[in-house]
Amino acid sequence: MKKSNIILAVLLFGIMLLSYGIETAQYQLVTLQNTRSAIFLLCVICISYFIILPFLNNLYTFLSKEVSFYRSTIIQENIIRHISETANNHFYNPDFLKEIHLCKNLTGLYSEYTVSIYKLLKYFFNYLIYIIAISTVSTPVIIPFVFFTLIYIIVKFLYAAQSIDTLIDNVSDDKDAEYYRKILSDYNYVRDIRLFQFDEYICQKSIQAFHRGLEKRYRLRNKNAIICPLLNVLFAGCIIGIGAISVLNQNISLASVVLVASCTIKSLMQVEPASDAFGEFIEKRGAKQKINGIISRNRTKYNRSGIFIEEIQNIRFENVSFSYDGTKDIIHNMNFEWKSGENICILGINGAGKSTLLNLILGINKPTSGTVFVNNIPLENIDYSSYVSCIAACSQDFAHFKDSIENNVIFGSNEKLDLIDYKYLSVPKGSMIGPDLYADGVELSGGQWQKTAVCRSNLNCRKKHLIIMDEPTAAMDAYSESSFFEKIMELKETCNAIFITHRVGYAKMADKIYIVDVGKIVESGSHADLMDNGFYYKNMYIKQGEMYEA
């Protein structure tokens, strides 16, 4: 990267010197009396202008793109690392998601930041060449020349600043338009969209979001498109007027006026690109500052250098509360404990906070208040990698990766290939998942996906001390579901489980049952204890029993 920047700087310096030499030689050519010298100089000018200069410019353009590409790669890597290290809490924050989308939109501008500096220097140098050439003939012309240049720079500065603001303002519209375009072309949504005739509504929402963003951009560009040509006309008219007055007052000769006019036309061709380059520099600098500000922002991250643990002996909640939006608690002042050797079941109605409770145990969510202890150590002080390596977890909203069945289970860990049970998965070896991406791609059923998720959690856990499952069998058939829970209970000597299920019949297999309602534990105990003294669990058990009896 540094070598490329040095080469770019040297190339730019060479191009500027050569451009200055060509311009100077053109003026000397007129004054030469010797024919041979004039022909030689003309040949040098032609070779320099038509061969050497284009070659250097092309080489400069090629290297500029290489530098921009390399910088873009680094920026993308920094953004990806920032996202991967950020705690899950922030992904429920719309402002954080907008910032990530904004980084994606600004990466292209930031990647060209260094090149924009070189471009600005190049055009500024060319501008100075013509300023010097004009000043040798007519000093009065310099004043309006510089004045109009400053106006150009101010206009471009304001345009660049507004351009960044517009990109920031358009983030929500861009996200909406991208989302609606995605679901219109995603086969997972096609059935419901066609069945319930949502296609027209979604099309309209996508178009409206796209037009809102486009309207703001075009409004800004139209202002720039009107102001710049007006400045060009005023600039040229002023220079011509000063030249005409100077001739009439016999301050300069007509030949000098022609020379000034020639320089003015050439300089006019440099003023706008130079001010554009300045505007681009301001715009790209703004993108750089915005992205660096987002990446360097102090957010809760997963601890990668805390206390290393080899096993999990206990997990304890002390007055733990959690809220997604900072106003309404999903988990409220909860006290909970799991000890090694216990199988625990968590029951409750939809929206009671069961899945959020498991996410807090897994360390995916951080408590709004209170503390989660692991082995009597605050979870935030434990090395997160060592913690999750002791857990096999499977959630109800697990990820569906459009890749091979093998990579859906082991993520490229080839040493685990022989451990994949294709018979249990009911999927042929080497199957590609995703008919929208692969010509021979297949789509898995809900039960097959759930089995894939279970295998993923088992094979990617190095030291299974604890299995955490959130509705792990909701999409499985009755036979597979029964076999699954029987296997879990058989592992009690070496591995324990914390699981959520709506099947109260399986809950009685657990050593301890927790009933969660409105973010609180309202009952806890064994199946026998809760049937004798409980209210919520007893009612749930009787209700489900009546359904099977009927």
Side-chain angles (χ1 to χ4, degrees):
M1 184 70 175
K2 288 183 179 179
K3 287 183 179 179
S4 297
N5 281 325
I6 292 169
I7 294 170
L8 267 181
V10 171
L11 265 176
L12 181 63
F13 184 70
I15 289 169
M16 291 191 297
L17 282 181
L18 186 59
S19 299
Y20 179 74
I22 290 170
E23 289 299 326
T24 306
Q26 287 177 10
Y27 294 116
Q28 289 180 350
L29 187 63
V30 180
T31 59
L32 281 177
Q33 302 295 325
N34 189 305
T35 305
R36 286 186 178 181
S37 298
I39 292 172
F40 175 76
L41 186 58
L42 181 62
C43 290
V44 171
I45 291 171
C46 289
I47 291 170
S48 300
Y49 189 80
F50 292 108
I51 298 175
I52 300 175
L53 191 60
F55 172 77
L56 292 178
N57 278 323
N58 287 336
L59 185 59
Y60 171 80
T61 302
F62 172 77
L63 284 176
S64 297
K65 289 179 179 177
E66 287 292 310
V67 168
S68 296
F69 175 77
Y70 184 74
R71 181 173 286 274
S72 177
T73 305
I74 294 173
I75 296 165
Q76 290 283 9
E77 182 180 336
N78 290 337
I79 293 171
I80 290 167
R81 289 191 181 280
H82 172 69
I83 295 170
S84 67
E85 292 173 359
T86 301
N88 200 57
N89 294 33
H90 298 288
F91 289 87
Y92 302 110
N93 184 348
D95 292 334
F96 173 73
L97 297 177
K98 285 180 183 178
E99 287 182 348
I100 297 304
H101 193 86
L102 180 63
C103 284
K104 173 186 168 185
N105 291 350
L106 294 178
T107 298
L109 291 174
Y110 184 7
S111 66
E112 296 176 356
Y113 172 70
T114 304
V115 175
S116 71
I117 297 175
Y118 294 141
K119 187 177 179 181
L120 177 61
L121 290 173
K122 178 183 175 183
Y123 281 113
F124 182 70
F125 183 80
N126 289 341
Y127 171 79
L128 284 179
I129 290 174
Y130 292 112
I131 282 279
I132 294 167
I134 293 171
S135 64
T136 57
V137 181
S138 176
T139 305
V141 177
I142 297 297
I143 298 172
F145 198 90
V146 174
F147 175 74
F148 276 102
T149 301
L150 289 174
I151 292 176
Y152 256 115
I153 289 172
I154 291 169
V155 168
K156 295 298 181 180
F157 175 80
L158 294 174
Y159 174 77
Q162 288 180 22
S163 179
I164 291 292
D165 290 340
T166 302
L167 278 171
I168 295 170
D169 292 341
N170 281 353
V171 169
S172 294
D173 293 328
D174 289 344
K175 280 180 86 261
D176 289 348
E178 185 177 307
Y179 169 72
Y180 288 119
R181 282 197 300 269
K182 177 181 178 295
I183 64 176
L184 277 171
S185 58
D186 191 327
Y187 73 92
N188 289 314
Y189 295 88
V190 166
R191 184 182 62 179
D192 281 7
I193 290 172
R194 299 292 185 270
L195 183 60
F196 300 110
Q197 301 179 40
F198 290 159
D199 46 345
E200 184 59 32
Y201 169 79
I202 294 172
C203 282
Q204 286 301 319
K205 294 289 285 184
S206 176
I207 292 167
Q208 288 168 8
F210 178 72
H211 279 178
R212 282 196 302 270
L214 202 61
E215 185 181 354
K216 294 174 186 175
R217 293 188 185 98
Y218 274 125
R219 197 183 301 134
L220 182 61
R221 288 175 185 173
N222 288 341
K223 286 181 184 177
N224 187 59
I226 293 170
I227 292 171
C228 289
L230 286 175
L231 284 174
N232 284 341
V233 172
L234 288 172
F235 187 18
C238 185
I239 299 298
I240 291 168
I242 291 173
I245 291 168
S246 298
V247 171
L248 292 173
N249 292 336
Q250 297 181 346
N251 291 332
I252 59 173
S253 65
L254 184 60
S256 296
V257 170
V258 172
L259 181 60
V260 169
S262 172
C263 288
T264 301
I265 291 169
K266 289 183 178 180
S267 60
L268 194 60
M269 294 170 65
Q270 295 298 323
V271 170
E272 189 168 0
S275 56
D276 280 340
F278 176 77
E280 286 178 22
F281 166 71
I282 295 298
E283 188 177 39
K284 291 167 174 59
R285 188 176 68 115
K288 175 190 175 185
Q289 290 174 341
K290 192 67 182 176
I291 290 179
N292 286 343
I294 291 171
I295 292 174
S296 62
R297 195 160 295 162
N298 187 23
R299 289 195 173 91
T300 311
K301 297 183 181 295
Y302 292 116
N303 192 343
R304 308 288 186 184
S305 57
I307 299 169
F308 191 89
I309 61 172
E310 292 285 349
E311 61 180 359
I312 302 174
Q313 297 167 352
N314 63 72
I315 297 172
R316 187 174 79 256
F317 279 34
E318 282 193 5
N319 304 318
V320 170
S321 295
F322 176 78
S323 172
Y324 288 107
D325 59 7
T327 57
K328 182 183 177 182
D329 282 348
I330 305 300
I331 299 293
H332 181 70
N333 202 33
M334 183 177 285
N335 292 287
F336 161 89
E337 186 171 14
W338 167 85
K339 294 179 180 178
S340 181
E342 287 183 334
N343 285 328
I344 286 177
C345 176
I346 299 170
L347 290 174
I349 62 173
N350 292 332
K354 304 184 300 298
S355 297
T356 303
L357 170 59
L358 289 193
N359 284 338
L360 287 165
I361 293 173
L362 290 168
I364 293 173
N365 290 338
K366 308 291 182 184
T368 308
S369 63
T371 307
V372 178
F373 291 90
V374 176
N375 298 349
N376 300 315
I377 304 167
L379 177 55
E380 61 188 24
N381 295 337
I382 292 174
D383 179 88
Y384 188 71
S385 297
S386 70
Y387 175 59
V388 294
S389 69
C390 300
I391 298 172
C394 180
S395 67
Q396 60 179 325
D397 53 352
F398 52 85
H400 298 191
F401 296 102
K402 294 181 178 180
D403 206 322
S404 65
I405 185 62
E406 288 77 15
N407 283 337
N408 259 280
V409 174
I410 59 174
F411 301 102
S413 301
N414 293 328
E415 66 275 9
K416 299 177 183 177
L417 271 174
D418 295 336
L419 301 177
I420 298 175
D421 188 346
Y422 294 99
K423 185 177 179 181
Y424 171 74
L425 293 174
S426 305
V427 181
K429 184 177 181 179
S431 295
M432 301 303 295
I433 315 301
D436 58 332
L437 285 184
Y438 306 103
D440 56 348
V442 299
E443 183 52 84
L444 304 186
S445 68
Q448 287 173 315
W449 269 122
Q450 202 137 43
K451 289 178 180 179
T452 301
V454 169
C455 284
R456 180 189 301 163
S457 65
N458 286 335
L459 293 183
N460 287 282
C461 175
R462 294 192 294 275
K463 298 171 286 188
K464 281 186 290 186
H465 296 141
L466 179 62
I467 299 174
I468 296 179
M469 300 286 178
D470 184 358
E471 292 289 355
T473 60
M476 291 185 191
D477 58 76
Y479 176 78
S480 298
E481 183 179 36
S482 177
S483 299
F484 173 81
F485 278 105
E486 286 172 3
K487 287 179 180 178
I488 292 294
M489 297 306 147
E490 288 171 4
L491 293 172
K492 187 173 180 180
E493 294 299 321
T494 57
C495 183
N496 303 128
I498 299 175
F499 61 93
I500 292 173
T501 180
H502 284 103
R503 309 284 202 275
V504 184
Y506 293 120
K508 67 181 182 181
M509 296 180 179
D511 300 304
K512 199 168 186 178
I513 301 165
Y514 286 91
I515 309 299
V516 179
D517 188 40
V518 199
K520 299 177 181 178
I521 294 175
V522 292
E523 283 183 357
S524 64
S526 66
H527 169 73
D529 291 339
L530 293 177
M531 288 301 290
D532 290 339
N533 306 311
F535 172 75
Y536 292 93
Y537 178 77
K538 185 177 181 178
N539 283 342
M540 292 169 69
Y541 190 84
I542 292 171
K543 284 284 185 186
Q544 284 202 13
E546 288 174 352
M547 289 174 61
Y548 287 107
E549 288 173 3

